[in-house]
């Protein structure tokens, strides 16, 4: 049963992920990206990671993708004018390079799981995905990375504001 | 096993039916209350006190011609009303509308009156509610109409802005309870405390988190596109905004979604700030419904009283007033919670 649900979700995620790239229309691409995020959220539920699941829905599906759509609609991008409609040589080269790196990473991850340690990963506690556990980990073991991430995000935000404002008063 | 399944299905059916009925009759309540405030009569013709008006309206909308303008993006145009109404109903899955019941001894063991209780209940409601904006944005975009597009864009900007303050406004409550489960939050509000040894006051978070409640209520108005924050559909400037091109039942679905969202945010406010189903004497669902309807009445009262914000006022109010206030409230509550 669990495998069946996983297969369904993985199929949805994979196919809609592919459609994000293949679609000519930016709005449709964004919609398929939302579907991909939704399928990933479903997989998080299967993993008992409730907090991560709900944050995935709120942050990615609910906020970031709304902003994506907002920008696409504000700029009114039509497929013919899109810069990626006729890709040049250099861009294809970069895309191929990045894909190879991604595939290598995926290969390593799969190999680790099934070849090097076929017995399965480390055992997880029953309540590892609850808000309490995630929160405690964030504020103890991962406090430093957590704070660094916040600072980086803040810097990025200020940078965007400085770039967007033509004249600082 | 079978009994559990049957009970679950019955609960889902009852909640869904009650929600649909309330949505229909909210239109009647809204017209009657606004009519009273404006010294008019409101609907009086269909049935006693116009009580059959929502049914007549529903039938009328179903039999109206369903127009699809020629230059629209068909798939998304047809999808948008459903995208708008589904999240509005799903959010109700975690809202507890009563204590446990045995239905006057009919059932062998007490059944809790909520569809499900998950450990991320509050976040679930916020997450699902944040998906509702897609229906509006996509409706505005796919209609191929400048007014609709403006309505959709306004709505997405407004919802993102006010979601932040809304989320922060309830953090105070979560800090005091220490749980995200809505059932735990209601249970934490049981009991009465005596103010100055004289005045009995229930332990609702309305009294310990008054600032949080006010921020939540403002954001709830904005999130449901209600006046004075109804800029996405401002009739006078945008010709009804995102749903200008919609007709028949698809148009009605947007309205059903708006009313269902209103009921959801009111139910969440009841659960988080007004003690949910808690109350003396009367059965718990009665208390819950009473509080929800009081908040819905406030929604209508606000609409009849306040003029619409200007767009820059709306953004300024959200980002420069509500957000810092919500942050301050969170900080003060956190300090108070740590110090005991």
């Amino acid at each position: 049963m669990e495998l069946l649900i996983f297969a369904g979700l993985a199929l949805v995620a994979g196919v809609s992920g592919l459609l994000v790239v293949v679609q000519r229309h930016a709005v449709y691409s964004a919609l398929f990206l939302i579907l991909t995020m939704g399928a990933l959220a479903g997989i998080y539920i299967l993993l008992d990671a409730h907090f991560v699941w709900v944050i995935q829905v709120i942050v990615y599906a609910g906020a970031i993708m709304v902003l994506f759509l907002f920008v696409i609609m504000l700029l009114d991008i039509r497929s013919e004018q899109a810069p990626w409609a006729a890709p040049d040589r250099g861009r294809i080269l970069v895309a191929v390079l990045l894909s190879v790196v991604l595939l290598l990473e995926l290969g390593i991850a799969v190999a680790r799981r099934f070849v090097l340690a076929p017995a399965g990963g480390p055992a997880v506690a029953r309540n590892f995905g609850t808000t309490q556990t995630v929160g405690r980990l964030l504020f103890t073991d991962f406090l430093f990375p957590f704070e660094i991430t916040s600072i980086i995000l803040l810097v990025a935000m200020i940078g965007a504001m400085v770039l967007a404002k033509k004249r600082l008063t | 096993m079978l009994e559990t399944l049957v009970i679950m299905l019955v609960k889902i059916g009852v909640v869904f039916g009650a929600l649909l009925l309330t949505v229909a009759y909210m239109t009647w309540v809204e017209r009657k209350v606004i009519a009273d405030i404006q010294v008019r009569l409101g609907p009086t013709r269909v049935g006693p006190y116009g009580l059959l008006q929502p049914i007549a309206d529903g039938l009328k909308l179903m039999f109206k011609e369903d127009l699809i303008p020629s230059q629209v993006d068909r798939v998304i145009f047809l999808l948008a009303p459903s995208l708008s109404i589904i999240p509005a109903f799903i959010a109700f899955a975690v809202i507890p509308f009563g204590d446990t019941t045995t239905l006057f001894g009919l059932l062998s063991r007490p059944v809790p009156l909520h569809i499900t209780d998950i450990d991320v209940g509050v976040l679930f409601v916020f997450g699902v509610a944040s998906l509702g904006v897609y229906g509006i944005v996509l409706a505005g975009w796919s209609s191929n109409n400048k007014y609709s597009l403006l309505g959709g864009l306004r709505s997405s900007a407004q919802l993102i802005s006010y979601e932040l303050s809304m989320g922060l406004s309830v953090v105070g409550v979560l800090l005091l309870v220490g749980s995200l489960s809505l059932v735990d939050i209601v249970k934490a509000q049981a009991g009465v405390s005596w103010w100055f040894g004289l005045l009995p006051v229930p332990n609702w978070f309305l009294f310990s988190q008054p600032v949080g409640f006010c921020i939540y209520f403002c954001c709830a108005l904005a999130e449901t596109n209600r006046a004075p924050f109804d800029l996405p559909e401002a009739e006078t400037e945008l010709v009804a905004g995102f749903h200008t091109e919609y007709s028949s039942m698809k148009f009605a679905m947007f309205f059903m979604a708006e009313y269902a969202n209103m009921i959801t945010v009111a139910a969440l406010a009841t659960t988080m700030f007004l003690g949910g189903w808690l109350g003396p004497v009367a059965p718990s669902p009665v208390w819950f419904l009473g509080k929800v309807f009081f908040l819905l009445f406030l929604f209508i009262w606000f609409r009849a009283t306040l003029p619409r914000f200007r767009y820059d006022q709306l953004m300024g109010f959200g980002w420069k007033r509500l957000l810092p206030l919500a942050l301050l409230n969170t900080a003060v509550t956190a300090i108070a919670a740590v110090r005991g």
Side-chain angles (χ1 to χ4, degrees):
Chain A
M1 186 66 184
E2 203 177 306
L3 193 70
L4 211 67
I5 298 175
F6 173 78
L9 288 171
L11 195 71
V12 170
V15 170
S16 50
L18 202 67
L19 284 168
V20 174
V21 188
V22 177
Q23 278 296 328
R24 278 267 174 234
H25 206 299
V27 170
Y28 278 89
S29 287
L31 289 181
F32 280 115
L33 193 52
I34 298 166
L35 200 59
T36 315
M37 306 258 186
L40 287 182
I43 291 175
Y44 289 142
I45 302 180
L46 276 185
L47 290 172
D48 270 336
H50 295 157
F51 186 69
V52 179
W53 158 66
V54 89
I55 292 300
Q56 163 94 359
V57 171
I58 293 182
V59 175
Y60 285 99
I64 292 182
M65 288 316 295
V66 176
L67 272 179
F68 270 42
L69 267 183
F70 183 80
V71 171
I72 291 171
M73 289 175 188
L74 200 67
L75 301 178
D76 199 19
I77 299 173
R78 300 262 171 240
S79 46
E80 314 90 76
Q81 309 160 348
W84 57 85
D88 53 55
R89 257 229 159 89
R91 203 175 281 138
I92 292 175
L93 201 70
V94 173
V96 168
L97 260 175
L98 287 176
S99 314
V100 168
V101 171
L102 185 68
L103 280 178
L104 271 178
E105 280 178 3
L106 271 176
I108 291 170
V110 171
R112 264 196 183 163
R113 173 68 181 77
F114 290 103
V115 183
L116 300 178
V124 288
R126 188 76 201 96
N127 62 344
F128 87 107
T130 60
T131 318
Q132 278 90 345
T133 322
V134 175
R136 190 154 290 137
L137 276 179
L138 268 185
F139 283 100
T140 52
D141 293 5
F142 295 97
L143 182 61
F144 188 64
F146 178 67
E147 295 293 345
I148 290 286
T149 315
S150 336
I151 292 173
I152 292 174
L153 282 175
L154 186 69
V155 169
M157 211 160 70
I158 295 172
M161 277 180 210
V162 171
L163 286 178
K165 240 187 151 85
K166 289 194 178 68
R167 186 163 44 90
L168 290 173
T169 45
Chain B
M1 180 62 197
L2 189 67
E3 198 192 335
T4 326
L5 194 69
V6 169
I7 289 175
M8 189 56 107
L9 286 176
V10 167
K11 275 198 286 196
I12 293 174
V14 167
V15 169
F16 193 64
L19 208 54
L20 275 178
L21 202 69
T22 318
V23 164
Y25 270 89
M26 270 309 290
T27 60
W28 178 82
V29 173
E30 174 143 36
R31 288 167 77 174
K32 273 292 184 191
V33 171
I34 288 190
D36 272 351
I37 292 173
Q38 297 171 345
V39 205
R40 294 183 287 116
L41 286 176
T44 56
R45 296 299 167 124
V46 194
Y49 306 103
L51 267 172
L52 295 178
Q53 186 71 43
I55 293 161
D57 282 344
L59 282 175
K60 181 193 74 174
L61 280 164
M62 266 186 241
F63 287 116
K64 275 207 165 181
E65 189 186 355
D66 194 4
L67 286 169
I68 300 179
S70 60
Q71 290 292 312
V72 300
D73 191 309
R74 254 187 109 83
V75 180
I76 298 185
F77 187 79
L78 296 178
L79 197 66
S82 336
L83 281 182
S84 161
I85 202 166
I86 291 170
F89 280 93
I90 290 182
F92 234 83
V94 294
I95 299 217
F97 49 91
D99 205 356
T100 54
T101 180
T102 55
L103 275 186
F104 312 108
L106 259 161
L107 298 167
S108 52
R109 55 196 165 76
V111 172
L113 284 180
H114 49 76
I115 294 177
T116 178
D117 177 30
I118 54 178
D119 65 342
V120 285
V122 180
L123 294 179
F124 176 82
V125 178
F126 282 129
V128 172
S130 68
L131 296 181
V133 66
Y134 285 120
I136 294 178
V137 174
L138 292 175
W141 178 78
S142 66
S143 293
N144 192 30
N145 172 327
K146 289 190 183 67
Y147 295 121
S148 298
L149 183 65
L150 275 175
L153 288 178
R154 276 185 181 184
S155 147
S156 56
Q158 177 176 332
L159 263 80
I160 291 175
S161 307
Y162 279 80
E163 233 162 49
L164 276 175
S165 314
M166 196 171 187
L168 277 173
S169 72
V170 301
V171 171
V173 171
L174 303 179
L175 279 170
L176 294 178
V177 180
S179 167
L180 288 169
S181 149
L182 288 166
V183 176
D184 288 352
I185 291 172
V186 172
K187 283 180 178 158
Q189 299 177 67
V192 171
S193 49
W194 293 82
W195 282 12
F196 313 112
L198 288 170
L199 193 65
V201 172
N203 280 339
W204 298 349
F205 288 125
L206 171 64
F207 300 109
S208 46
Q209 286 284 320
V211 181
F213 177 74
C214 293
I215 298 169
Y216 178 88
F217 198 78
C218 290
C219 296
L221 285 172
E223 288 279 301
T224 49
N225 293 330
R226 294 282 303 176
F229 301 101
D230 58 342
L231 285 111
E233 45 188 286
E235 292 88 348
T236 36
E237 36 183 312
L238 286 186
V239 210
F242 63 90
H243 55 62
T244 305
E245 300 291 350
Y246 282 88
S247 52
S248 183
M249 211 50 205
K250 289 206 283 294
F251 165 78
M253 276 162 87
F254 281 118
F255 263 81
M256 284 161 75
E258 181 178 325
Y259 281 101
N261 275 326
M262 263 169 75
I263 297 168
T264 306
V265 291
L268 194 63
T270 305
T271 310
M272 307 219 38
F273 294 102
L274 300 181
W277 71 74
L278 297 169
V281 191
S284 52
V286 174
W287 276 101
F288 177 78
L289 284 177
K291 291 168 186 173
V292 169
F293 274 106
F294 173 71
L295 287 177
L296 289 174
F297 173 74
L298 280 186
F299 272 85
I300 299 171
W301 194 359
F302 268 72
R303 176 182 160 187
T305 313
L306 296 175
R308 186 179 301 130
F309 275 102
R310 221 172 47 222
Y311 194 67
D312 57 317
Q313 290 173 329
L314 172 97
M315 284 296 155
F317 183 62
W319 289 103
K320 294 180 189 162
R321 300 276 186 284
L322 285 184
L323 191 62
L325 199 62
L327 279 172
L328 189 70
N329 184 47
T330 309
V332 170
T333 313
I335 292 169
V338 167
R339 291 180 67 93

